[in-house]
Amino acid sequence: MPSIHLEPEGDVAVLRMEHGKANALDITLCRELSTRFEEVAEAGGYRAVVLTGTGGVFSAGVDLKRIVDGGARYVAEFLPALSDAFLSVFDFPRPVVAAVNGHAIAGGGVLAAACDHRVLNAGHGRVGWTELLVGVPFPLVAMEILRCAYGSARLPRLTFAAGTPAGQDALALGLVDELAEADAVLPRALEVARTLGAVSPAAFAHTKNQIHRPYNERIGEQRAADDARVEQLWSAPESLASIGDYVRSVLGSQ
């Protein structure tokens, strides 16, 4: 059964994540994200994409239980798939709008940041990047996407503090572009997608590439070395123990 459903809305492709209770990012979901964006690009006829979740969660981030269960071998396979999934959204040449129907935390927040416009559920949904609370660093691709979306000067506040603001607070901080009531999040995202999609595809793609170029250049130059270090840190026994403690604390509070 697919984890991401393609729901055509005229010339807009709605990609709806439906993977477990929280759309947690594991190897399966990451690879399917990359595949779905490739399929939309190859299909032709779609002028924009809306990425959304199911229920009350956009994506709660990395499936940490899979990290604990799989250990270093799983980490080595997962981290490249995670970065490739982020890039499939970030580098998509046509407009991508995030219909943030609920929480977009950690890796889920990076997915939203990788989009060109973000519409957040006004009454339910937090946005934030909490990797450091778990005891692991961000992959370089994630950091460069956040840098592009929010600027270098804001990265320390967003990543070190690991806050997860909601609603008006998230809007005031510029983490999302606008708010909508729960039943209006997807319709508003579709409206924005159609507006952006009406622009010349070639002109939009070139402008998007111009905006993204310095971030993609850093990724191209530094990813191999940085990914190796990030994998080492995620795979360290103390990191896996920290992740396990975090998972147990979260599960114990539910």
Side-chain angles (χ1 to χ4, degrees):
M1 182 175 179
S3 301
I4 303 173
H5 305 284
L6 172 58
E7 302 172 1
E9 290 283 346
D11 58 1
V12 177
V14 176
L15 294 179
R16 184 185 299 276
M17 296 179 285
E18 188 176 11
H19 188 64
K21 294 181 179 179
N23 294 321
L25 295 162
D26 59 10
I27 290 173
T28 298
L29 183 56
C30 288
R31 288 180 175 166
E32 193 164 340
L33 269 166
S34 298
T35 298
R36 286 296 192 188
F37 273 87
E38 289 174 4
E39 290 173 348
V40 170
E42 292 170 359
Y46 292 115
R47 297 185 69 94
V49 173
V50 170
L51 180 63
T52 192
T54 303
V57 181
F58 179 77
S59 172
V62 172
D63 188 337
L64 296 175
K65 190 174 186 301
R66 294 295 302 274
I67 299 292
V68 174
D69 292 343
R73 291 182 64 180
Y74 183 84
V75 168
E77 188 176 2
F78 168 71
L79 285 176
L82 177 67
S83 291
D84 289 346
F86 291 153
L87 286 174
S88 71
V89 181
F90 187 64
D91 288 341
F92 192 75
R94 299 173 195 139
V96 184
V97 179
V100 187
N101 54 295
H103 302 316
I105 305 299
V110 176
L111 276 182
C115 298
D116 302 305
H117 190 93
R118 292 160 284 280
V119 181
L120 175 64
N121 184 334
H124 173 76
R126 293 185 172 275
V127 180
W129 298 274
T130 56
E131 277 82 350
L132 293 185
L133 290 180
V134 182
V136 292
F138 298 79
L140 178 68
V141 168
M143 289 295 285
E144 290 303 320
I145 288 172
L146 294 179
R147 193 189 310 277
C148 179
Y150 304 119
S152 295
R154 304 181 66 192
L155 279 183
R157 181 177 180 185
L158 296 180
T159 58
F160 294 167
T164 56
Q168 288 291 341
D169 291 335
L171 181 63
L173 290 168
L175 305 185
V176 297
D177 296 288
E178 57 184 290
L179 304 178
E181 295 304 315
D183 60 355
V185 171
L186 182 57
R188 176 56 186 157
L190 284 166
E191 184 179 0
V192 174
R194 291 188 177 109
T195 298
L196 294 177
V199 175
S200 160
F204 186 93
H206 187 74
T207 301
K208 188 170 180 175
N209 180 62
Q210 288 174 320
I211 293 169
H212 288 190
R213 185 176 300 148
Y215 310 99
N216 279 327
E217 286 178 351
R218 276 194 291 268
I219 290 169
E221 293 167 359
Q222 302 173 21
R223 178 177 172 181
D226 194 81
D227 279 6
R229 179 57 176 157
V230 170
E231 180 187 336
Q232 182 184 51
L233 290 168
W234 279 57
S235 301
E238 58 270 24
S239 296
L240 292 173
S242 176
I243 295 171
D245 289 343
Y246 184 85
V247 169
R248 285 186 290 273
S249 70
V250 170
L251 294 177
S253 65
Q254 294 179 347

